[in-house]
Amino acid sequence: MKKLTKYNEIALSLKDDIVSGKYQMGGLLPTEFELSAIYGASRQTVRSAIAELARQGFVSRTKKLGTRVESTVPQNMYLHRLNSINDLVQFSNLNKKVVQAVEQIVLDKQLAAELGLEPGLHALKVSTMRYGKAGDKLPIGWTDIYIVLTGMDLALLADRIKAKPDVLISSILEDEFNVTLKAVSQEIDSILVPTNLEAVLQTPSPASALKVIRRYIDIHDEVVEISVTLHPSGRFSLLLDAKREI
């Protein structure tokens, strides 16, 4: 039998302590320094063990707060590989999307700054909850989508989105509103789940999340759609492949 690496041994030991209740839900694990002393291992090895626990959904890590116990059982993590716009369509087809709200808004200064747009723009905001598959009770993320294309009939678009809740909005724009997308830019950040979303995402307070902002750009180099998605820690993993140009 293959011998476990040191970080695997530490991860298994910590997992047993979490399951047994030694480290309780909502509590913090000892610091990296303390764990290094307990297990006689380097801080890097301890860090790798904690990363493995986070991958399985047992803990989450927040800067300046520490490592928090999130679950006594492993959580199902949804894994998504993104290389092209077609991958986004596939992502939409593979998981369940539930539309929560559709409304017309005017971008205020704070929201416009977050999206990288000018304040005062009219937009259609669509809020959705996503699940790994139909029947899942634990959501993998919350998404706010903003359609900001000048001259767009936002009321008509809202009706089409409500009629086709399982269809990717960018696909509706291309198929029914004569929009041709050529690129998607993406920003990724780590944040705390906003307090107003903790209940709907079924997270403890505080909880860390992966924040993904995608900007959909048409053939006229205009941003036509922006999506802001929050994935609670341990529920979603994004794979990005890069190749060297030769």
Side-chain angles (χ1 to χ4, degrees), residues 212-240:
V212 182
I213 300 179
R214 295 189 178 106
R215 293 180 174 85
Y216 295 74
I217 303 165
D218 69 6
I219 56 174
H220 306 294
D221 293 321
E222 297 288 336
V223 175
V224 299
E225 176 188 341
I226 299 176
S227 67
V228 182
T229 302
L230 298 182
H231 296 290
S233 176
R235 300 187 195 173
F236 179 88
S237 181
L238 181 64
L239 298 180
L240 299 175

Side-chain angles (χ1 to χ4, degrees), residues 163-176:
K164 297 182 176 182
D166 294 325
V167 178
L168 200 65
I169 291 177
S170 58
S171 296
I172 294 176
L173 291 174
E174 290 198 302
D175 295 342
E176 302 186 34

Side-chain angles (χ1 to χ4, degrees), residues 41-87:
S42 68
R43 292 185 66 181
Q44 182 58 49
T45 299
V46 168
R47 226 173 264 130
S48 296
I50 293 174
E52 175 61 18
L53 291 178
R55 187 189 69 80
Q56 297 180 37
F58 286 99
V59 302
S60 66
R61 306 191 70 181
T62 304
K63 190 174 181 180
K64 296 184 179 181
L65 177 63
T67 303
R68 177 188 174 101
V69 178
E70 303 285 11
S71 176
T72 57
V73 295
Q75 304 296 311
N76 293 325
M77 179 179 287
Y78 189 85
L79 184 65
H80 176 53
R81 184 181 297 275
L82 175 62
N83 293 313
S84 67
I85 293 177
N86 287 338
D87 288 338

